[in-house]
Amino acid sequence: MTLRTYYPEIEPYASGHLEVGNGHQVYWERVGTPGAKPAVFLHGGPGGGLSPNQRRVFDPARYDVLLFDQRGCGKSQPFAELEHNTTWDLVADIERLREMVGADQWLVFGGSWGSSLALAYAQKHPERVTELVLRGIFTLRRWELLWYYQHGASLLFPDKWQRFIAPIPPAERGDMIAAYRRRLTSADRDIRLGAAREWARWEGETITLLPDPQVSDAFYGEEYALAFARIENHYFVHAGWMDEGQLIRDAGKLRDIPGVIVQGRYDIACPPQTAWDLHQAWPEAEFIMVEGQGHALSQPGILNHLIEATDRFAGGGM
């Protein structure tokens, strides 16, 4: 069987910045066919920003897709800003963008942190969501954060973990997220940048089943790492400004929304237990465990199922 892969490269037919308050300007772009089925793409991180391949998971003839850099990252301004940058600020931004494009409802697509934001948005505004397509499920529960940043993933990548903990004195390693927070918010740019590099490298090198420079190299740039690490750590320190387990607890609000959950069996960043827990709480959604795959959107089996889902929903249903 031939796996589905990205649609051809495509450039936005429109782009710009939207003022969303408190000095933030969110960069947005639109691809596909104006007036076709509306969709919004929610990138990962938090702080990951957009990349050109993210435009290519939708049939451009059948979709009108809005993509945007979430607050503080990519082309949004101010750069790497933490003030007025919370989950609920982003949920409000999604609504502002929906109103800007004039869509009454739209398909919501998100992976990794984008799945968290998609769930938060859909649970707050279920009437605005026609379908949910989710990958690499992440819900910011405490154990999920500890698994990746304290003890768990460290056992599978001991060599990479050693690099991750190296900037942190042994006395501070009992809470790696807090220790990195102190450095990522330092007044000294060199300290901020050094911490950002190692934070970003850890994720970039552990999200594919096998090493993939095409994925990991994107995490090494100084500006990318600074926004990514600062914003991601900021969200994790605050547990996404949500109750513990809130996104799983409130999954019943999604009952009437057609959905697809795509999860790599060997996803180290976002272990399959979370996707399974979401599936148990939202059994109406289709659940696809993809064998032999890790976390990244670009993993061939994962990408295949995501594009199958967007193609199917372009026809108006399951």
Side-chain angles (χ1 to χ4, degrees), residues 5 74 87 89-90 98 154 169 174 193 195 203 210 213 224 229 239 254 297:
T5 190
T87 302
D89 289 319
L90 299 185
R98 181 190 59 76
S154 58
L193 191 54
E203 184 156 334
L210 298 174
Y224 179 90
L254 311 175
L297 170 66

Side-chain angles (χ1 to χ4, degrees), residues 36-313:
K37 181 178 176 68
V40 59
F41 183 99
L42 306 179
H43 68 66
L50 297 179
S51 65
N53 280 347
Q54 293 166 353
R55 304 169 185 157
R56 302 170 60 195
V57 294
F58 302 89
D59 181 347
R62 295 193 289 169
Y63 277 97
D64 186 355
V65 186
L66 180 131
L67 306 92
F68 70 102
D69 286 320
Q70 295 160 27
R71 294 187 183 206
C73 67
K75 297 179 182 177
S76 292
Q77 296 292 333
F79 179 73
E81 179 58 58
L82 305 183
E83 290 296 316
H84 303 290
N85 194 343
T86 73
T87 302
W88 305 110
D89 289 319
L90 299 185
V91 166
D93 292 349
I94 298 169
E95 273 295 270
R96 291 185 183 98
L97 290 161
R98 181 190 59 76
E99 292 168 357
M100 181 192 79
V101 303
D104 185 55
Q105 297 178 299
W106 51 5
L107 178 147
V108 179
F109 183 114
S112 192
W113 155 253
S115 76
S116 318
L117 184 57
L119 290 167
Y121 174 75
Q123 289 172 10
K124 187 169 180 63
H125 300 287
E127 74 285 356
R128 299 301 182 189
V129 181
T130 53
E131 301 93 5
L132 276 168
V133 179
L134 306 176
R135 165 195 65 83
I137 308 304
F138 175 54
T139 65
L140 287 91
R141 291 178 294 183
R142 185 63 181 161
W143 77 257
E144 297 174 43
L145 296 172
L146 292 177
W147 158 267
Y148 200 44
Y149 294 104
Q150 201 62 47
H151 184 73
S154 58
L155 303 178
L156 296 170
F157 294 101
D159 49 342
K160 301 179 190 303
W161 181 253
Q162 191 60 43
R163 282 205 308 265
F164 181 68
I165 65 174
I168 308 301
E172 295 184 59
R173 291 177 185 171
D175 189 340
M176 291 295 294
I177 294 175
Y180 263 92
R181 167 78 169 187
R182 287 188 281 274
R183 287 152 183 83
L184 291 167
T185 57
S186 169
D188 186 324
R189 177 179 167 82
D190 289 341
I191 292 174
R192 291 199 306 273
L193 191 54
R197 281 198 193 100
E198 293 308 322
W199 180 281
R201 180 200 294 266
W202 166 247
E203 184 156 334
E205 294 185 359
T206 56
I207 59 173
T208 52
L209 183 62
L210 298 174
D212 184 348
Q214 287 189 310
V215 173
S216 57
D217 286 359
F219 288 78
Y220 299 152
E222 286 188 4
E223 293 298 289
Y224 179 90
L226 200 56
F228 178 81
R230 275 172 54 83
I231 295 169
E232 190 169 77
N233 177 273
H234 170 65
Y235 272 68
F236 297 169
V237 164
H238 293 96
W241 297 269
M242 292 181 287
D243 296 338
E244 174 68 11
Q246 177 176 333
L247 296 177
I248 303 291
R249 179 196 74 197
D250 292 348
K253 296 178 180 179
L254 311 175
R255 192 139 289 140
D256 295 329
I257 300 173
V260 176
I261 300 166
V262 179
Q263 178 68 40
R265 172 74 75 183
Y266 301 110
D267 186 336
I268 304 305
C270 299
Q273 184 65 52
T274 298
W276 185 250
D277 291 344
L278 177 62
H279 176 50
Q280 299 307 295
W282 181 29
E284 295 84 1
E286 180 182 1
F287 179 78
I288 303 170
M289 185 74 82
V290 191
E291 299 294 346
Q293 303 286 272
H295 178 70
L297 170 66
S298 59
Q299 299 271 267
I302 290 172
L303 184 60
N304 171 67
H305 287 292
L306 292 172
I307 292 178
E308 284 184 343
T310 58
D311 277 0
R312 190 163 75 248
F313 287 140

